[in-house]
C-alpha cells in the first residue's frame, strides 16, 4: 500500500539505522518566534585567494608547515589529527579505554578559496572522487585503520571554521556508530531475504516513488521516505557497492557530477549557499566480510527555512529519536523544481553582464 500523501502523527521505520522516525508534517508551518539566523548572503563570495587561509596554496599552516602551490585537488595530513596512537590504554572492564590509532587528512577540492563543490568543472568533480577512492584504499590498508570516514561540513551553521572548499578524512581504529548499525542491518536483510541487498531495495523503492530529485547512468539522488531532516538527500548507486574502492572511472565521474547537482539544487532552493553535513557511508576496512554493505552518500542540511534551524531538542537529544516536521515527498518536489545544472549565481552574473 502506498504511503499517505502527507504524514500526520506517523512513524516510519529507518531500515538502515533500524529505528523509528516520527513525522509531524502539520507542525512545519507553526508560528515561530524562537531563534532565527540571518539567511546566508546570496551574493557574498570569498576571494579566490586569502593570505590568512591555512588551506590556500603557498600559505603557512601550523608549526611552520607550508602548502605547495597546488593547482588541483590537494590532500595533506591534518596538523591536529583526531587519531594517532602512542597513548597507553587504561581503565578496567567496565570503564574501558583503548588507543585511538590512525590518522586524519584534509582534502582541498580546489586552490580557489572562493569556490564550493557547485563551482567545480566536470573533470574537477571526477578528480575529487578519484582521490577519495585512492585515500580509502591506501588508508584502509593500514593495520591501525579499521574505518575510513570521509565527510564535509559546509557553512558556519554546521561549525565550519574555514570556507575554503574542503572535506576531511578520519581514518582510525574506531568504526563509527552509524556504520556499525548499517553493517548489522545489511547483514540481517541479506540473511532474511536469502541474498538481497538493503541498499538496492531502498533504490528500487525510491525509483518507484515521487522523491527522486536527480539521476544519471550510475547514481540516483532522492529525499528518502525515512528522511530524518527536512531536506535530507541520499545518493544511491544503481548497482550494489560497498565502498569507493569498487567504483569504475565512469562511476567516479558520475558520482562527482551527482554531488554537484545535489549541492546546486540546494543553493538554488533559496538562492543562497546551503549549509550541510555530507558523509560518505562505506564499508569498514578491518578485513571483515562487507559484501552486503550499502555504499551511499548522505546530506544533512540543518535548515528548515532560510533563517530557521532544525534544532535537536527534547525528542532528539533527550528522547533519542528524530522528529521530522515535514513531508519528504513535498521537500523532494521543492528540490526537483529548481535547476540542478545552472547555479543561481551564474544566472545572476549572466543577467548583469547583459544588462
Amino acid at each position: 500500500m502506498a504511503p499517505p500523501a502527507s504524514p500526520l502523527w506517523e512513524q516510519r521505520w529507518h531500515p538502515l539505522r533500524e529505528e523509528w522516525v516520527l513525522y509531524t508534517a502539520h507542525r512545519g508551518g507553526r508560528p515561530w518566534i524562537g531563534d532565527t539566523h540571518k539567511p546566508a548572503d546570496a551574493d557574498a563570495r570569498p576571494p579566490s585567494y586569502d593570505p590568512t587561509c591555512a588551506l590556500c596554496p603557498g600559505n603557512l599552516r601550523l608549526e611552520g608547515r607550508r602548502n605547495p602551490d597546488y593547482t588541483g585537488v590537494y590532500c595533506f595530513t591534518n596538523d591536529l589529527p583526531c587519531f594517532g596512537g602512542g597513548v597507553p590504554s587504561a581503565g578496567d572492564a567496565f570503564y574501558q579505554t583503548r588507543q585511538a590509532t590512525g590518522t586524519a587528512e584534509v582534502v582541498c577540492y580546489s586552490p580557489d578559496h572562493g569556490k564550493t563543490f557547485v563551482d567545480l568543472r566536470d573533470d574537477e568533480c571526477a578528480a575529487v572522487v578519484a582521490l577519495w577512492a585512492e585515500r580509502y584504499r591506501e588508508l584502509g590498508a593500514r593495520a591501525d585503520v579499521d574505518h575510513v570516514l570521509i565527510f564535509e561540513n559546509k557553512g558556519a551553521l554546521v561549525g565550519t571554521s574555514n570556507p575554503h572548499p574542503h572535506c576531511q578524512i578520519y581514518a582510525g581504529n574506531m568504526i563509527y556508530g552509524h556504520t556499525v548499525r548499517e553493517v548489522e542491518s545489511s547483514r540481517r536483510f541479506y540473511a532474511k531475504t536469502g541474498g538481497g541487498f538493503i541498499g538496492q531495495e531502498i533504490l528500487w523503492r525510491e525509483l518507484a516513488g515521487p522523491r527522486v530529485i536527480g539521476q544519471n547512468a550510475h547514481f540516483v539522488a532522492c529525499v528518502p521516505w525515512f528522511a530524518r531532516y527536512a531536506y535530507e538527500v541520499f545518493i544511491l548507486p544503481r548497482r550494489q557497492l560497498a565502498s569507493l574502492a569498487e567504483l569504475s572511472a565512469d562511476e567516479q565521474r558520475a558520482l562527482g557530477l551527482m554531488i554537484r547537482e545535489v549541492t546546486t539544487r540546494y543553493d538554488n532552493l533559496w538562492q543562497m549557499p546551503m549549509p550541510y553535513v555530507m558523509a560518505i557511508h562505506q564499508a569498514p576496512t578491518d578485513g571483515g566480510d562487507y559484501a552486503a554493505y550499502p555504499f551511499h552518500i548522505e546530506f544533512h542540511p540543518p535548515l528548515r527555512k532560510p533563517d530557521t534551524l532544525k534544532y535537536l531538542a527534547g525528542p532528539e537529544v533527550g528522547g533519542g529519536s528524530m522528529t521530522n516536521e515535514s513531508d519528504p515527498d513535498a521537500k523532494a518536489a521543492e528540490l526537483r523544481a529548481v535547476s540542478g545544472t545552472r547555479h543561481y549565481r551564474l544566472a545572476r552574473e549572466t543577467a548583469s553582464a547583459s544588462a
Side-chain angles (χ1 to χ4, degrees):
M1 183 176 66
S6 182
L8 295 176
W9 302 298
E10 178 178 82
Q11 297 179 51
R12 293 183 179 180
W13 182 246
H14 193 309
L16 291 176
R17 299 193 180 192
E18 296 187 325
E19 62 186 23
W20 290 101
V21 179
L22 176 64
Y23 288 82
T24 58
H26 60 294
R27 287 173 49 79
R30 69 189 186 279
W32 182 265
I33 59 173
D35 186 38
T36 58
H37 295 261
K38 180 182 178 181
D41 190 337
D43 296 315
R45 187 170 184 151
S48 59
Y49 171 75
D50 183 344
T52 68
C53 172
L55 303 183
C56 279
N59 286 2
L60 284 174
R61 303 201 316 268
L62 294 178
E63 300 177 3
R65 297 180 179 91
R66 186 178 294 276
N67 295 323
D69 289 322
Y70 64 95
T71 58
V73 61
Y74 169 58
C75 179
F76 64 89
T77 301
N78 196 311
D79 297 321
L80 296 172
C82 56
F83 291 97
V87 179
S89 298
D92 55 38
F94 188 66
Y95 278 4
Q96 298 182 48
T97 67
R98 65 180 181 184
Q99 294 185 16
T101 64
T103 188
E105 296 182 345
V106 176
V107 177
C108 297
Y109 297 156
S110 168
D112 191 324
H113 183 79
K115 288 187 174 182
T116 65
F117 211 101
V118 302
D119 301 302
L120 301 183
R121 301 189 307 270
D122 291 6
D123 58 331
E124 292 175 323
C125 293
V128 170
V129 178
L131 180 64
W132 286 344
E134 184 272 327
R135 299 316 298 151
Y136 172 82
R137 287 190 293 266
E138 183 169 326
L139 294 172
R142 289 175 45 159
D144 59 347
V145 171
D146 293 331
H147 186 211
V148 179
L149 176 66
I150 302 174
F151 64 95
E152 177 189 357
N153 300 327
K154 180 191 172 187
L157 290 181
V158 297
T160 301
S161 59
N162 190 324
H164 194 104
H166 74 286
C167 69
Q168 299 185 64
I169 303 176
Y170 283 7
N173 63 334
M174 181 172 74
I175 302 177
Y176 281 84
H178 293 331
T179 300
V180 170
R181 297 184 76 170
E182 290 171 350
V183 166
E184 294 170 349
S185 63
S186 63
R187 287 174 173 171
R188 276 192 279 269
F189 186 85
Y190 187 87
K192 180 181 178 179
T193 58
F197 298 114
I198 194 169
Q200 293 295 286
E201 179 71 21
I202 294 170
L203 171 70
W204 297 330
R205 288 174 179 263
E206 292 302 329
L207 283 172
R211 291 169 300 278
V212 172
I213 68 167
Q215 54 184 308
N216 58 31
H218 299 290
F219 291 93
V220 173
C222 64
V223 177
W225 179 74
F226 46 82
R228 298 162 72 246
Y229 290 84
Y231 295 98
E232 178 175 330
V233 168
F234 274 31
I235 295 180
L236 303 165
R238 289 189 182 273
R239 69 182 181 96
Q240 168 57 26
L241 298 168
S243 74
L244 287 164
E246 299 176 33
L247 295 178
S248 67
D250 286 344
E251 287 170 328
Q252 289 178 358
R253 186 178 185 84
L255 180 55
L257 298 182
M258 185 54 63
I259 293 171
R260 188 180 65 188
E261 177 176 342
V262 169
T263 54
T264 299
R265 289 183 185 277
Y266 274 158
D267 283 8
N268 285 342
L269 179 64
W270 294 317
Q271 296 201 348
M272 66 178 221
M274 174 73 92
Y276 59 75
V277 173
M278 179 194 75
I280 299 177
H281 290 238
Q282 54 189 336
T285 59
D286 62 351
D289 180 5
Y290 299 109
Y293 185 84
F295 169 82
H296 64 285
I297 295 181
E298 297 184 10
F299 288 85
H300 302 286
L303 292 175
R304 295 192 295 115
K305 300 177 181 178
D307 64 348
T308 308
L309 283 166
K310 161 59 179 176
Y311 287 97
L312 302 186
E316 293 85 8
V317 177
S321 295
M322 288 292 291
T323 299
N324 187 339
E325 296 162 328
S326 69
D327 178 0
D329 290 20
K331 297 307 173 184
E334 290 180 39
L335 289 170
R336 194 167 52 248
V338 297
S339 176
T341 56
R342 187 173 177 79
H343 194 268
Y344 76 85
R345 193 170 54 231
L346 178 60
R348 287 185 181 182
E349 291 171 353
T350 302
S352 177
S354 60

